[in-house]
Amino acid sequence: MQRYSIYSLVRNALTHHEGWQRAWRSPPLKRRYQIVIVGAGGHGLSTAYHLAKEHGLTDVAVLEKGWLGGGNTARNTHTIRSNYIRDVSIRFHDVSVKLYEQMSRELNFNILFSQRSMIDLIQSFGKLRDLRRRSLAMALHGPQYQLISVDELQRRIPAMGSLDQVRLPPLAGMVHPEAAMARHDAVAWSYARAADARGVEIHQHTEVTGFIRGPDGAVTGVETNRGTVSADIVALATAGSTSDVARRAGISLPLVTRNLQAFVSEPVKPLIDVIVNCPDVGLYLMQSDKGEIVIGGGTDPYPSYRQGSHFATFEDTVASLVELFPRFKALKMLRQWGGAIEFAYDASPIISKTDLPGLLVSTGWYGGFKSIPVGGLTFAHLIATGTPHPLAEAFGLDRFTGLKFLLEAGTVAQR
């Protein structure tokens, strides 16, 4: 793998930047691999990287229906945080934040990591009670979550207007200093480049259309639009399509799929240097390095695999935005999009074997961008060893039959 540095930049400048190596290869698709990962988004690529790095498993193919990082990895608002309420969720996502902090150096790729903190605006006494409880839970494990006054809120978010006419005026705020942002496509590219350098093969435009089953019912490979591929293990990391792909193998997963919406404004001068979240009204926003205001709303009110905008949700989000930030009325919107996200019935992720031997899943990532590093680390451990990683022991499918639900309000309440 060619290392990126000031020296390689200068050296290639002398040759008009025509001598750069490809970031990853495009090898021919073989008929057999030890491990096939379905989905070349953040989680699939992170899993492939950790399989090679931590376990020395390089006979791995990552198959992607479209282009690398073009699914939900490209359809998110790149927020990284660990302000959850369940012990297992806090520990899990705190490790993910720490892995993100080191990612640019470890993978030799600038992911534009910006640890700018998140501020939750509290607009109801119920939410105040909920977030104070979350703060106490987080204090047991290390991540910070601190209560601040309304005056401090306005000092930290000067772009916010007068609160006199707001129908739900903020009562206080909670600050999560470890929260951060990173460039979503850079995260995918960095993992792809590092996995490829260790021998993993990445195959874009390779759609899985079915599964190969052995005499005992075990999954022994996949059928694709480029032919049949055999494997000892097939691992699904297909974000919002996991339930649909799993049905082709004859299994049903405890997932609900909905369209989560976001939109981006024209670039403006620096106004907001923190991530602002308003859980009571279903709004969150931040400002990108280019100056765009990135705005997120809620999900569609019904299950769907679509990836577009729902006008009623869009309207509710904008109404909440201009009430808290009146000066944003003049902003022009550049684009809007949606992402089909899947979450489990208890709003916690699933990193697990399935009832079919040879088939494993990593899914249920409601807002899974924040979990890419630790999700790949723990899924790779399960694939390589056959046993759950200590951080993810509670995320198995058996919890849905054994009544061991992990009801995680920190997942959906943030959206």
Side-chain angles (χ1 to χ4, degrees):
M1 179 174 67
Q2 177 174 278
R3 289 200 57 82
Y4 296 146
S5 68
I6 183 63
Y7 305 107
S8 63
L9 181 63
V10 171
R11 187 170 58 251
N12 280 275
L14 298 175
T15 58
H16 307 285
H17 296 288
E18 295 178 353
W20 290 103
Q21 295 177 7
R22 285 185 175 271
W24 53 84
R25 300 163 295 155
S26 297
L29 183 66
K30 297 188 296 190
R31 293 301 104 194
R32 177 169 179 79
Y33 296 89
Q34 183 180 1
I35 299 166
V36 165
I37 298 172
V38 185
H43 281 272
L45 295 167
S46 173
T47 301
Y49 169 72
H50 286 290
L51 279 171
K53 180 195 173 192
E54 312 291 343
H55 306 282
L57 298 175
T58 58
D59 187 18
V60 178
V62 184
L63 310 183
E64 170 57 46
K65 175 182 177 180
W67 64 93
L68 187 152
N72 274 10
T73 301
R75 291 174 172 271
N76 66 79
T77 48
H78 48 254
T79 303
I80 301 161
R81 62 182 178 87
S82 59
N83 53 336
Y84 284 75
I85 194 167
R86 302 298 176 195
D87 292 343
V88 62
S89 302
I90 297 169
R91 291 193 297 267
F92 187 83
H93 289 93
D94 185 43
V95 169
S96 201
V97 171
K98 289 180 169 60
L99 290 172
Y100 262 120
E101 291 171 349
Q102 303 301 320
M103 188 182 296
S104 290
R105 181 179 297 274
E106 178 183 344
L107 302 183
N108 184 227
F109 200 99
N110 184 9
I111 64 167
L112 301 180
F113 182 79
S114 171
Q115 203 156 27
R116 58 181 64 188
S117 80
M118 169 184 277
I119 298 180
D120 289 338
L121 270 63
I122 304 170
Q123 296 173 270
S124 69
F125 287 103
K127 183 56 63 177
L128 176 62
R129 182 173 60 249
D130 169 46
L131 296 191
R132 290 184 67 181
R133 178 186 172 203
R134 192 180 304 181
S135 173
L136 295 173
M138 291 172 62
L140 298 174
H141 301 283
Q144 301 178 64
Y145 202 43
Q146 304 153 350
L147 187 68
I148 60 174
S149 67
V150 174
D151 289 341
E152 181 65 9
L153 263 181
Q154 293 194 295
R155 187 189 73 79
R156 295 194 185 208
I157 316 173
M160 193 163 55
S162 170
L163 303 177
D164 296 339
Q165 303 301 317
V166 176
R167 71 193 146 90
L168 282 176
L171 306 171
M174 297 293 287
V175 180
H176 178 33
E178 292 89 350
M181 294 167 54
R183 180 70 182 179
H184 49 80
D185 46 11
V187 171
W189 296 341
S190 63
Y191 273 126
R193 184 169 171 267
D196 176 84
R198 292 178 179 267
V200 171
E201 292 185 8
I202 300 169
H203 298 277
Q204 302 179 76
H205 306 292
T206 306
E207 180 181 2
V208 171
T209 57
F211 292 84
I212 307 169
R213 305 282 289 276
D216 60 351
V219 172
T220 59
V222 294
E223 297 172 353
T224 78
N225 60 333
R226 296 173 59 193
T228 298
V229 180
S230 299
D232 297 329
I233 294 174
V234 176
L236 303 185
T238 48
S241 301
T242 307
S243 56
D244 180 55
V245 175
R247 273 193 290 269
R248 301 177 194 181
I251 63 173
S252 177
L253 297 174
L255 298 169
V256 175
T257 304
R258 295 197 182 199
N259 179 49
L260 181 64
Q261 298 181 52
F263 42 100
V264 167
S265 79
E266 61 184 331
V268 293
K269 68 179 183 179
L271 290 170
I272 303 173
D273 61 359
V274 299
I275 303 165
V276 181
N277 182 45
C278 311
D280 284 298
V281 295
L283 164 73
Y284 58 101
L285 66 150
M286 68 285 293
Q287 190 164 17
S288 74
D289 294 331
K290 295 189 294 182
E292 300 165 336
I293 306 297
V294 183
I295 305 157
T299 60
D300 286 356
Y302 48 81
S304 169
Y305 285 96
R306 74 193 201 88
Q307 296 182 325
S309 179
H310 185 273
F311 185 76
T313 303
F314 178 85
E315 188 177 37
D316 288 345
T317 303
V318 170
S320 299
L321 173 70
V322 298
E323 187 173 29
L324 289 167
F325 297 87
R327 67 185 68 184
F328 288 174
K329 288 180 180 179
L331 279 180
K332 295 181 175 64
M333 290 296 111
L334 287 186
R335 59 189 180 276
Q336 60 193 68
W337 69 90
I341 60 162
E342 290 184 320
F343 52 98
Y345 299 156
D346 58 359
S348 290
I350 298 170
I351 305 172
S352 179
K353 298 179 181 179
T354 69
D355 291 337
L356 295 180
L359 183 65
L360 292 77
V361 296
S362 171
T363 187
W365 299 108
Y366 189 108
F369 180 77
K370 72 182 79 64
S371 314
I372 285 174
V374 73
L377 176 73
T378 53
F379 197 29
H381 184 279
L382 176 63
I383 293 169
T385 68
T387 59
H389 190 283
L391 285 170
E393 288 179 331
F395 295 148
L397 278 167
D398 58 343
R399 73 182 189 264
F400 296 101
T401 55
L403 299 180
K404 298 177 183 178
F405 299 135
L406 278 170
L407 297 171
E408 182 48 82
T411 298
V412 294
Q414 288 297 116
R415 297 290 186 261

